[in-house]
Amino acid sequence: MGMRTTLGMLRGMGVCAALWAAGASAGQGTDLKRDFQARWAENRFDAAAGILEDAFKSSPEEAMSLAVALVETGNDFSRPVGAAAIVAHADVKTLAGLAKRLSRTEFPDERRLFVRALGVRAVEARKGKEPDAKAVQEVSDAAGAFVNDTDTAVAASAILALADTGDIRNVGRFIDEFVDVPAFTSKPPGNDRNLLSRACAGAFKELTGERPKSLAEVKQWWAANKNDPKKKEKGPLPESDNWSGQKFCPVDRFNLFYRIGSKVGEVAEGPLSPAEIGPALAAAAARAEQVLRPVLGTAHVPELRVYLCDPNQFNAKASNRTFAGQTQGNEIILKVENVKAVPQVMWHEYIHAIHDSNFSNQPRWLSEGVAMSYTISAKGKAPRELDANMQVILKRGAFTEMINWNSGGSGDSLEGARYATAHLCIDYLRFSGFGAADTRIFYVMARLSRHQAARLALESVYGKSIKDMDQAVREFVK
């Protein structure tokens, strides 16, 4: 039995098992289950997901039953469709109940998705002229129960969900999990500890509006304010400050460091002044948050250091002459040779910052493919012309070539083709009708963060062999 046949059979078996678990066989199910399976059997996965989505309007209990069955008894290919439906429609009790009931070893990604979705319910409850305080409190209590989860990624998701509540009192639920203040830390902590670092600092910023420089300042602020926790009105930011002997300018979202010309640290005037470039960078970061929200929820990234560099200083800081920007650790380094292009570069780089805030151990092909796809193809599949290098890569196999790109940035002649290939492959995954496209990207990120092999992660989540995906990309380009 070949790989194509095996994966094709598994795709169908996963749905059949879920349908039985939801209380219907292929021949005697309700209209929802019968229609869902019919579209699935035709490989019309987006259409099947659409049928499930529509069912939440007419038969919400039946739709939720099928979605839960897809998660609990479906296979790796069908589970993202069920999980995406649950994230979109389950109430707080259902989300928290599933996250508690599901096995930590068998369902780590679903648990993380459902805990993070608690914050979405809080955002919904806060809309309108009169926020639903009772509903927000329900989210606070539900998310708070996962702050000490043994799965660090789930704990970080709970903290981000608490940030969505807007309730400053929730700082007390995660204050003891604080790791550091990223903008004032030279290197982020390793592995999933970085997820806690970013989540705690980002949630603290969102809830309090404070910009502490150290963990000690965080604890001091909470000790002084926990008995009367109210978000304080802030005056204007200081024009400059210092960190590790370096002068910087605080702006919205960032601390700006200038590396232009011989007078390093001197603030530029005109379009690169903090008053002009600061809002442009913040707007670019907001765009990055918006396009990635369907994948990761609201980002809540804490302040980071941004270095504005001329070409020579960029090379010295980033160790690269060819790039326009680079994200490393708690820093974003931007080349300002072409000022008008800087916000677009920030959009790309801030996607890296969001990605790094949510997952560890991410390979180069995925990081760059996601950043390219969610900028250039933010509104849909991007048209492209294939140069000679790309023609060769397509012939060899785009996915076969792409998943071997794990090295750092280089300036060789093939670097552009590597970016283009990663962009093309992520576009294919997003726009080829697999169903729950953004959620599937999340699953791949999460599997790779747990050191699963790229080939296995892609083949499991997308139900195709790498060779079949290589051929599908050739047709996708046409």
Side-chain angles (χ1 to χ4, degrees):
M1 184 178 291
M3 176 63 77
R4 180 182 304 183
T5 305
T6 302
L7 289 171
M9 289 182 63
L10 287 174
R11 287 194 309 223
M13 289 168 61
V15 167
C16 287
L19 289 170
W20 278 103
S25 67
Q28 62 188 44
T30 63
D31 288 344
L32 167 60
K33 292 159 187 157
R34 184 179 62 248
D35 293 347
F36 182 90
Q37 187 179 30
R39 300 295 84 73
W40 200 269
E42 296 166 355
N43 293 336
R44 296 173 60 193
F45 308 116
D46 265 351
I51 286 172
L52 178 57
E53 176 66 24
D54 289 342
F56 278 95
K57 302 172 184 176
S58 56
S59 306
E61 291 185 6
E62 186 180 13
M64 186 59 67
S65 175
L66 176 54
V68 171
L70 285 169
V71 166
E72 293 189 315
T73 61
N75 59 17
D76 290 344
F77 180 68
S78 60
R79 278 157 61 176
V81 172
I86 292 168
V87 165
H89 297 285
D91 58 21
V92 171
K93 183 178 180 180
T94 301
L95 289 167
L98 283 169
K100 290 177 183 177
R101 184 172 80 241
L102 293 174
S103 164
R104 287 169 166 76
T105 55
E106 294 182 44
F107 299 94
D109 305 333
E110 290 79 9
R111 294 186 69 244
R112 183 176 179 179
L113 280 168
F114 300 156
V115 169
R116 186 66 192 89
L118 292 170
V120 179
R121 302 291 95 86
V123 172
E124 294 168 352
R126 294 172 62 194
K127 288 181 178 178
K129 295 182 179 179
E130 296 183 8
D132 188 338
K134 183 178 179 180
V136 172
Q137 184 63 48
E138 184 183 17
V139 171
S140 298
D141 293 338
F146 292 95
V147 167
N148 300 117
D149 198 271
T150 55
D151 185 332
T152 304
V154 171
S157 294
I159 293 166
L160 293 172
L162 290 173
D164 290 327
T165 65
D167 187 342
I168 197 170
R169 296 172 297 176
N170 281 327
V171 170
R173 297 181 187 265
F174 62 83
I175 190 74
D176 292 332
E177 304 304 313
F178 239 99
V179 177
D180 58 16
V181 178
F184 297 92
T185 304
S186 297
K187 293 183 179 180
N191 300 321
D192 286 351
R193 290 289 291 171
N194 187 47
L195 307 190
L196 274 181
S197 169
R198 296 281 182 96
C200 287
F204 186 81
K205 179 189 76 171
E206 176 66 25
L207 293 173
T208 69
E210 298 291 323
R211 296 178 70 140
K213 292 184 177 182
S214 66
L215 185 55
E217 286 189 19
V218 170
K219 298 294 181 84
Q220 289 168 4
W221 186 93
W222 182 244
N225 291 277
K226 63 182 179 181
N227 294 324
D228 183 27
K230 295 178 181 178
K231 200 167 185 177
K232 309 299 189 294
E233 291 294 328
K234 300 296 175 187
L237 292 169
E239 292 185 1
S240 65
D241 207 331
N242 284 276
W243 171 73
S244 191
Q246 306 172 64
K247 180 181 178 181
F248 68 86
C249 300
V251 297
D252 183 21
R253 295 177 179 264
F254 306 113
N255 292 337
L256 296 184
F257 294 77
Y258 286 85
R259 297 288 184 273
I260 300 172
S262 59
K263 296 181 180 179
V264 170
E266 184 172 312
V267 178
E269 298 180 352
L272 286 176
S273 67
E276 292 196 34
I277 197 67
L281 296 178
R287 294 179 75 186
E289 286 184 348
Q290 181 181 16
V291 297
L292 276 190
R293 190 170 290 123
V295 182
L296 300 171
T298 303
H300 300 306
V301 176
E303 286 94 4
L304 300 175
R305 298 187 293 275
V306 171
Y307 287 82
L308 302 176
C309 302
D310 64 27
N312 288 333
Q313 294 287 350
F314 182 87
N315 180 43
K317 181 69 179 170
S319 301
N320 189 292
R321 290 186 178 276
T322 58
F323 290 175
Q326 185 165 302
T327 300
Q328 54 187 35
N330 297 319
E331 300 175 347
I332 298 174
I333 309 166
L334 302 174
K335 188 187 297 183
V336 296
E337 191 174 22
N338 180 359
V339 178
K340 291 183 179 180
V342 170
Q344 182 75 14
V345 176
M346 172 56 87
W347 184 3
H348 178 106
E349 296 302 325
Y350 205 74
I351 284 179
H352 287 318
I354 296 171
H355 192 169
D356 293 345
S357 296
N358 284 272
F359 295 99
S360 58
N361 191 47
Q362 298 297 283
R364 186 84 190 284
W365 62 263
L366 182 60
S367 293
E368 297 300 346
V370 166
M372 295 286 284
S373 183
Y374 282 88
T375 51
I376 298 172
S377 305
K379 295 183 179 180
K381 173 185 173 182
R384 49 180 48 86
E385 295 183 5
L386 305 179
D387 62 15
N389 287 330
M390 283 297 294
Q391 294 282 4
V392 171
I393 287 173
L394 280 179
K395 187 175 181 180
R396 292 175 180 168
F399 276 93
T400 298
E401 292 281 305
M402 179 187 70
I403 61 177
N404 292 315
W405 183 33
N406 293 308
S407 61
S410 70
D412 66 28
S413 61
L414 294 179
E415 191 76 344
R418 296 185 188 104
Y419 273 82
T421 303
H423 177 194
L424 172 60
C425 289
I426 300 300
D427 269 14
Y428 164 76
L429 298 179
R430 292 177 62 202
F431 304 121
S432 295
F434 284 104
D438 291 314
T439 303
R440 288 187 191 277
I441 296 291
F442 172 93
Y443 271 81
V444 172
M445 291 174 173
R447 284 168 172 260
L448 294 175
S449 74
R450 298 194 299 277
H451 300 275
Q452 187 173 98
R455 181 181 294 270
L456 177 58
L458 287 166
E459 290 182 343
S460 298
V461 173
Y462 291 93
K464 283 179 176 285
S465 71
I466 291 295
K467 287 187 176 180
D468 281 349
M469 295 172 83
D470 287 340
Q471 178 56 35
V473 169
R474 296 183 192 108
E475 297 168 1
F476 178 76
V477 170
K478 294 177 183 178

